[in-house]
Amino acid sequence: MSMDQKSFPSFQPSSLHLAGYDRPWAYTPEEVAEFTNAQHVDDQIGFQFCFVADEAAVRHMLPPHFGFVAPFLMGYFVEMRRPGYGAPYMESCLAVLAEYNGVVGLHNLALHLHGPGSDCGPYLFGHNCPIPKKQADDITIRRIGSQVNAKIIRHGVTIWDMDLEFAGEYNNEEMGLGTLGDGTNIGVPMESVGWYHPYEVIPNEDGTTTITDLKLAGLNISTTLSHIEKGKILRFETASTEDDPFGEIKMLAPIGASWQVTSECIMGSSDIYADLDPAVSLPSLMRYYDVSLMGKKSTLLSV
């Protein structure tokens, strides 16, 4: 079958533009120099939360090189409205306080992303700050008046579902003020440390891999809030998938939640705190990953 070329509409390649600029096959040296220099996640909106969990369970969540701080689990649900590395997206986090040589920071147990900008985040922070992040089917925050519902869906399962009310009080006022704040820090940069663990993966001749050069690093984070509201956790439900053990997490007592707008969040320099023995620390650190990366055949999807 033949076609007359004249039957096709005129095609003008020069009329195609992406994001308002032409993209050549090679970046300029000036652009290359800016590679991953975008560690801002400004204009966040959502909430942080904190609750008391079983102390033995919290201790079990800590890798062996960390010291126990308190039987608290902390986290957030936010929309990253102005990340420096892509389009807006949703992000959720669950973390535990962890201590090393007198420095207290947050050790992330889970990070989930969803939305248009969620493709660049895992790459950027997989290299600059390798805390593994998982793609969720959906992450939602719905607020009507003072009432909020937040959910994470992964592998078709609602693994996290909570209701909150932001009416000016924490569940536990004293503990809430100590962990979530009272609003007096509006407009003042707050400094914190986020723990992470860089390592090298070396391929072997037989197709296996060896993990080496495992370190403990601390990312220095500066966060500035422009708005905060105190709130209560009303309902908290979790479920597990083959890859997400959220169902094992139980809230013994809610501390509270704070609805926040973060005007600026800068992930700055990192410090190396220790060289770690992979044989000792990896079993706890690798639970970030799905079981299919641990030599197991996934039963969640079929082709």
Side-chain angles (χ1 to χ4, degrees), residues 23-27:
R23 169 49 46 219
W25 284 105
Y27 287 96

Side-chain angles (χ1 to χ4, degrees), residues 229-250:
E229 300 172 48
K230 295 189 292 184
K232 294 182 178 181
I233 301 173
L234 303 180
R235 183 179 63 89
F236 171 88
E237 295 181 5
T238 60
S240 295
T241 74
E242 187 177 21
D243 295 317
D244 306 281
F246 271 140
E248 300 175 9
I249 296 171
K250 306 299 180 185

Side-chain angles (χ1 to χ4, degrees), residues 175-207:
M175 296 178 70
L177 292 174
T179 56
L180 298 164
D182 60 1
T184 58
N185 54 347
I186 294 295
V188 179
M190 299 175 292
E191 309 301 321
S192 62
V193 172
W195 297 119
Y196 69 99
H197 299 83
Y199 57 86
E200 296 292 335
V201 179
I202 307 300
N204 301 317
E205 288 186 5
D206 62 356

Side-chain angles (χ1 to χ4, degrees), residues 31-268:
E31 289 172 321
V32 172
E34 293 295 322
F35 181 58
T36 74
N37 290 339
Q39 297 196 145
H40 277 239
V41 278
D42 302 334
D43 196 20
Q44 303 176 28
I45 186 169
F47 64 90
Q48 293 190 353
F49 62 91
C50 185
F51 61 85
V52 178
D54 177 71
E55 181 173 329
V58 173
R59 288 182 180 274
H60 181 67
M61 295 173 185
L62 287 169
H65 51 274
F66 281 135
F68 173 80
V69 177
F72 302 158
L73 292 182
M74 309 180 71
Y76 61 76
F77 276 75
V78 296
E79 180 185 7
M80 301 291 191
R81 294 190 290 189
R82 194 155 52 90
Y85 44 83
Y89 66 96
M90 303 296 295
E91 180 170 304
S92 67
C93 166
L94 183 68
V96 59
L97 290 171
E99 179 270 335
Y100 186 85
N101 277 357
V103 178
V104 175
L106 283 176
H107 170 62
N108 287 287
L109 301 171
L111 275 165
H112 288 92
L113 312 178
H114 176 72
S118 62
D119 53 349
C120 291
Y123 180 83
L124 175 61
F125 297 108
H127 289 262
N128 295 20
C129 173
I131 301 173
K133 299 187 176 185
K134 294 183 177 183
Q135 296 284 350
D137 300 353
D138 198 11
I139 300 174
T140 59
I141 305 172
R142 291 187 172 90
R143 177 167 184 171
I144 300 176
S146 63
Q147 305 295 309
V148 170
N149 174 260
K151 291 181 180 179
I152 309 171
I153 299 174
R154 192 160 195 265
H155 299 330
V157 176
T158 301
I159 58 176
W160 196 273
D161 189 356
M162 55 194 308
D163 291 329
L164 310 99
E165 180 181 43
F166 292 91
E169 293 181 341
Y170 291 129
N171 298 88
N172 184 314
E173 193 68 15
E174 182 179 357
M175 296 178 70
L177 292 174
T179 56
L180 298 164
D182 60 1
T184 58
N185 54 347
I186 294 295
V188 179
M190 299 175 292
E191 309 301 321
S192 62
V193 172
W195 297 119
Y196 69 99
H197 299 83
Y199 57 86
E200 296 292 335
V201 179
I202 307 300
N204 301 317
E205 288 186 5
D206 62 356
T208 62
T209 58
T210 301
I211 296 178
T212 66
D213 201 25
L214 178 65
K215 300 181 183 298
L216 170 63
L219 177 66
N220 298 302
I221 305 170
S222 177
T223 305
T224 304
L225 302 180
S226 61
H227 178 81
I228 185 171
E229 300 172 48
K230 295 189 292 184
K232 294 182 178 181
I233 301 173
L234 303 180
R235 183 179 63 89
F236 171 88
E237 295 181 5
T238 60
S240 295
T241 74
E242 187 177 21
D243 295 317
D244 306 281
F246 271 140
E248 300 175 9
I249 296 171
K250 306 299 180 185
M251 179 176 68
L252 297 186
I255 293 175
S258 59
W259 184 269
Q260 299 179 352
V261 177
T262 300
S263 57
E264 184 177 66
C265 181
I266 303 171
M267 283 154 284

